[in-house]
Amino acid sequence: MSKIKVGVVGTGFIGPAHIEALRRLPNVEVVALAEITKDLAEEKAAQLGIATGCTFDEMLKMDEIQSVHICTPNFLHYSQSKQALEAGKHVVCEKPLSKDLPEAKELVEIAEKSGLVNAVHFNLRYYPMVRQMKVMREKGELGDVFSVIGSYLQDWLYFDTDYNWRLEPDKSGDSRAIADIGSHLMDIIEYVTGLKTVELLADFSTVHKVRKKPLKRIETYSGVELGPDDYEDVPINTEDHANVLLRFENGNKGSVTVSQVSAGRKNQLKVEISGSKKTFAFNSERPNELWLGHREKANETLMKDPSLVDPGVSSVVSFPGGHNEGFPDTSKQLFKEVYAAIEAGKQPENPTFPTFADGYRELLVCERILESHRAQKWVTV
């Protein structure tokens, strides 16, 4: 088998996650890793068992590389995705697609003209039970959507000594919790329900208005604590917590809460969708279960099992019932669909995976959420 050669740029938390998922695909080989300097790239490549460490410019000149994964801080997504497309590479970009809508729109247009495969890493769509909700809704088993209640809660920025580049608007953009994890939640809500959000009202809070930035390099999520003299005070103006009211195109309503300061919640996405026939409820901390709520009979819990899920879901299930699948599997399943397209040589007419156009849509929603908070009023999406 001739393997598709891949380059990955960025070695924070998500870059190695991409690499691990790509290594689980039989038709893919990660051959190069790029970082801000060649020395750092070579160091990280050696740690991760990748043959070549290089700069991004050097990666784009490597003819054997067909696809590039952009896993860098947000402010680099636009320029690096554009350069990769212009170099004739297929692109998988982390979300958000860019820092603003004009940049995202340009990327969508460049990708469409090129015909190259383009994808955004909205991997949480790929929990099998999320796909199950979508398929059941499409088959009419949910009925008309009455309401949506969603939340995405984390605690990795709970203390004022917790720090990361995502706290700096010049690197991550003017929204943080909403752009970082709220985008996943909003993507799943529209993906499962098939409904567009048409109006919204948002209210943010910044719990730690000053944070202590480490003067020494420490890894995100490491839990390492330094001494008092090892920090500098940095004012914070992005949100730790957000509440958003939603109005959907069918006239019904929803609400979401996003927080990165909820003690004990490491990475919990929850969504409850109430329809005219039943209710769906999904919790990413119990990803192999789907709760089905009824008025006239006992409620049900559907366990992930390839023999029980809808046939339209079985393609994103790799193991038998009782063998749990979780966060690392979501990227594998997304990339499996992306690399089937790359093997075919072009973007499908109706992609099953999230594309740059989806990245534009979620950036638009997040921009409107930020606009609503600033104006303290309802805005149209």
Side-chain angles (χ1 to χ4, degrees), residues 136 278-279 281 290-294 297-303:
M136 290 176 70
K278 58 172 64 76
T279 294
L290 175 61
W291 185 85
L292 304 173
H294 303 283
K297 63 178 182 178
N299 298 328
E300 303 169 272
T301 299
L302 174 62
M303 303 298 293

Side-chain angles (χ1 to χ4, degrees), residues 206-225:
T206 303
V207 174
H208 298 299
K209 294 181 172 54
V210 175
R211 286 183 179 267
K212 297 184 182 301
K213 181 178 181 178
L215 298 174
K216 299 178 180 178
R217 182 180 170 187
I218 59 174
E219 297 291 335
T220 305
Y221 307 122
S222 65
V224 172
E225 292 189 24

Side-chain angles (χ1 to χ4, degrees), residues 11 58 89 120 126 211 254 265 273 292 305-306 350 352 356:
T11 60
E58 289 171 336
K89 315 292 187 187
V120 175
Y126 283 79
R211 286 183 179 267
R265 293 301 184 194
I273 304 168
L292 304 173
D305 185 324
N350 295 299
T352 53
F356 278 16

Side-chain angles (χ1 to χ4, degrees), residues 153-159 259-266:
L153 309 178
Q154 298 177 331
D155 73 355
W156 70 286
L157 292 172
Y158 184 70
F159 297 115
S259 174
Q260 293 177 319
V261 290
S262 295
R265 293 301 184 194
K266 304 305 176 186

Side-chain angles (χ1 to χ4, degrees), residues 136-188:
M136 290 176 70
R137 188 268 304 167
E138 290 173 337
K139 292 171 66 177
E141 295 181 39
L142 175 66
D144 295 330
V145 175
F146 286 170
S147 69
V148 178
I149 302 169
S151 64
Y152 201 149
L153 309 178
Q154 298 177 331
D155 73 355
W156 70 286
L157 292 172
Y158 184 70
F159 297 115
D160 66 353
T161 51
D162 292 323
Y163 203 86
N164 179 268
W165 61 263
R166 290 175 178 84
L167 293 154
E168 300 173 4
D170 63 325
K171 297 182 178 67
S172 67
D174 291 336
S175 170
R176 189 217 323 149
I178 285 290
D180 185 22
I181 57 177
S183 56
H184 276 296
L185 180 58
M186 296 303 299
D187 176 69
I188 281 179

Side-chain angles (χ1 to χ4, degrees), residues 29 51 110 120 122 127 228 261 268 286 306 333 340-341 343 379:
E29 181 182 2
I110 292 170
V120 175
F122 283 122
Y127 283 116
V261 290
Q268 185 199 62
R286 302 178 68 90
Q333 300 294 358
E343 203 158 42
V379 300

Side-chain angles (χ1 to χ4, degrees), residues 19-171:
I19 292 164
E20 189 273 339
L22 288 166
R23 283 174 166 161
R24 297 169 67 189
L25 302 182
N27 61 336
V28 171
E29 181 182 2
V30 181
V31 297
L33 182 66
E35 255 298 350
I36 192 167
T37 67
K38 187 159 186 172
D39 286 346
L40 181 59
E42 289 175 344
E43 175 191 333
K44 293 291 187 178
Q47 291 172 4
L48 294 166
I50 296 171
T52 302
C54 59
T55 65
F56 184 63
D57 289 341
E58 289 171 336
M59 177 179 285
L60 296 184
K61 293 174 184 175
M62 297 171 67
D63 292 337
E64 68 270 30
I65 290 180
Q66 296 172 253
S67 172
V68 173
H69 284 236
I70 310 296
C71 303
T72 48
N74 301 353
F75 75 101
L76 293 170
H77 292 180
Y78 162 73
S79 61
Q80 291 180 335
S81 293
K82 182 178 179 180
Q83 286 177 265
L85 288 169
E86 290 175 342
K89 315 292 187 187
H90 305 288
V91 178
V92 178
C93 184
E94 263 302 323
K95 49 78 200 162
L97 181 59
S98 66
K99 281 183 67 180
D100 60 49
L101 287 170
E103 288 182 350
K105 184 179 180 182
E106 184 183 351
L107 288 177
V108 171
E109 292 169 351
I110 292 170
E112 285 178 351
K113 287 177 184 176
S114 73
L116 294 163
V117 174
N118 58 92
V120 175
H121 192 234
F122 283 122
N123 59 306
L124 302 190
R125 288 186 185 191
Y126 283 79
Y127 283 116
M129 305 320 280
V130 171
R131 179 73 64 92
Q132 178 71 19
M133 289 191 289
K134 173 181 169 61
V135 172
M136 290 176 70
R137 188 268 304 167
E138 290 173 337
K139 292 171 66 177
E141 295 181 39
L142 175 66
D144 295 330
V145 175
F146 286 170
S147 69
V148 178
I149 302 169
S151 64
Y152 201 149
L153 309 178
Q154 298 177 331
D155 73 355
W156 70 286
L157 292 172
Y158 184 70
F159 297 115
D160 66 353
T161 51
D162 292 323
Y163 203 86
N164 179 268
W165 61 263
R166 290 175 178 84
L167 293 154
E168 300 173 4
D170 63 325
K171 297 182 178 67

